[in-house]
Amino acid sequence: MPVNDDEVLRVAARGDGVTADGRHIAFAAPGDRVTPEGTIVPGRHHQTPPCKHFPECGGCQLQHLDDISWSQFIADRIAGALAAQGLEADIRAPLLSPPNTRRRATLHAERRGRQVRLGFTRQGSHELIDVEECWILAPELFALVAPLRGMLAALIPGTRRINVHLAQTDQGPDVLIDGLEAEGLAAAEALSAFSHRHHLARLSIDEGFGPSARYEPEPVTVTLGGVPVPFPPGNFLQATPEGEVALVAAVQEIAGKAKAVADLFAGLGTFTFAFPRAKVYAAEAARDPVMALKAAAGQAGRAVFAEHRDLFRRPVTAGDLSNFDAVILDPPRAGAREQVAEIAKSAAPLVAYVSCNPSTFARDAEILCKGGYRLDWIRPVGQFRWSTHVELAARFSR
Ligand SMILES: C[S@@+](CC[C@H](N)C(=O)[O-])C[C@H]1O[C@@H](n2cnc3c(N)ncnc32)[C@H](O)[C@@H]1O
């Protein structure tokens, strides 16, 4: 089909639409036309953004894209990052999480006179958007936003900004407030009454020395692969249940037959506990999650050896990795250059690489491919709906 110069062909990494004649236009979707004055004439992939806070709120960048063009954006981001390293791959259809499924988020709060603003920061600025609706957060978590505002109005001193971390756990919502000093009987009573009224699983405060639970009627857990794992306040959790299911399915497809699995950057064990019949070595640098994983594995009688280990400074060596049938890694956004260099030298036949950053993933993929691995396929997982964040699971084999 002929393409017009003024037609938007793709969406760039930061979310701008790019026209055939190379103009970057904010909030334009593929198929839109853009007049010389910059007016967008919506095409068939341009949807009406559902949220009243879009585009001011920095939580979402892509609400003007329908799911077809959001999927295409995700696949293009991955293909583009790979191409920059001279790589190609079979990129499968992205698995998208529905609206209102985010089970983990950090909001910010600050006082404005007698009111408290609670929400996300404005796109490209530090200003807070006081969210009145949210199309991303799980309803159980969003239901806490208005009551939290009321409670914080009595507790936030001055103008300092504080962070509110929300997560959905087996017992209900887990709330961690950091930057708040909540001393004295009145504050203790306010926190406890709030927690009780809103059926929180736990409320923790971090006054600068680490989280301490002020309300926790029973131990808080998240169930991973059928195993209840103690959940440290504010810990990492895959962003949506659907995202977790998609990533676990991809990793099981890659490593399902393995008898010995290494799970690197294991966190609480999202992948460790997905292999009930294998022996699993789990390595993780943060102390609280690795202790939680170890305790949960012991309770459940799983054959897991968990190690508290910094894999940037002390990567598992190629020689040790060669004892495993499959290596899983799920590093932070920075990727895992040092660890990947060891995997590339190892004889491990299968690698499942889960990544939340296509650029560092592609850089690391190039190291693996130079070491003799094939990049077989990539499953993109859209668990950060309407954002420019892209998650994926990839299969490498030799
Ligand atoms: C993207 S999370 C994945 C966690 C887990 N695989 C999951 O799915 O729940 C990345 C994990 O890497 C850990 N991490 C960060 N830097 C690390 C390092 N240098 N060595 C080992 N683990 C590290 C973080 O604490 C975090 O648990």
Side-chain angles (χ1 to χ4, degrees), residues 314-326:
R314 212 160 61 82
V316 183
T317 62
D320 286 345
L321 290 171
S322 299
N323 296 318
F324 293 97
D325 307 310

Side-chain angles (χ1 to χ4, degrees), residues 236-238 263 265-271 283-286 289 309-312 330-332 356:
F236 177 88
L237 203 54
Q238 296 295 344
D263 181 14
F265 306 92
L268 292 172
T270 303
F271 304 116
E284 161 64 46
R309 179 165 181 157
D310 181 337
L311 298 166
F312 292 171
D330 180 15
C356 57

Side-chain angles (χ1 to χ4, degrees), residues 132-156:
E132 290 170 17
E133 63 179 33
C134 180
W135 290 72
I136 297 300
L137 271 182
E140 299 84 347
L141 298 183
F142 186 72
L144 295 173
V145 169
L148 271 167
R149 229 176 245 132
M151 182 194 66
L152 291 171
L155 294 180
I156 298 186

Side-chain angles (χ1 to χ4, degrees), residues 194-264:
F194 175 86
S195 306
H196 196 72
R197 188 170 328 122
H198 298 286
H199 307 288
L200 299 192
R202 176 171 56 197
L203 177 69
S204 314
I205 303 286
D206 185 344
E207 297 180 337
F209 310 102
S212 89
R214 299 295 185 88
Y215 177 89
E216 188 177 8
E218 48 179 313
V220 175
T221 57
V222 292
T223 295
L224 301 169
V227 176
V229 184
F231 184 69
N235 203 83
F236 177 88
L237 203 54
Q238 296 295 344
T240 67
E242 292 78 3
E244 178 187 312
V245 167
L247 292 170
V248 166
V251 170
Q252 283 175 329
E253 182 181 337
I254 297 165
K257 295 200 179 75
K259 294 198 170 67
V261 176
D263 181 14
L264 309 179

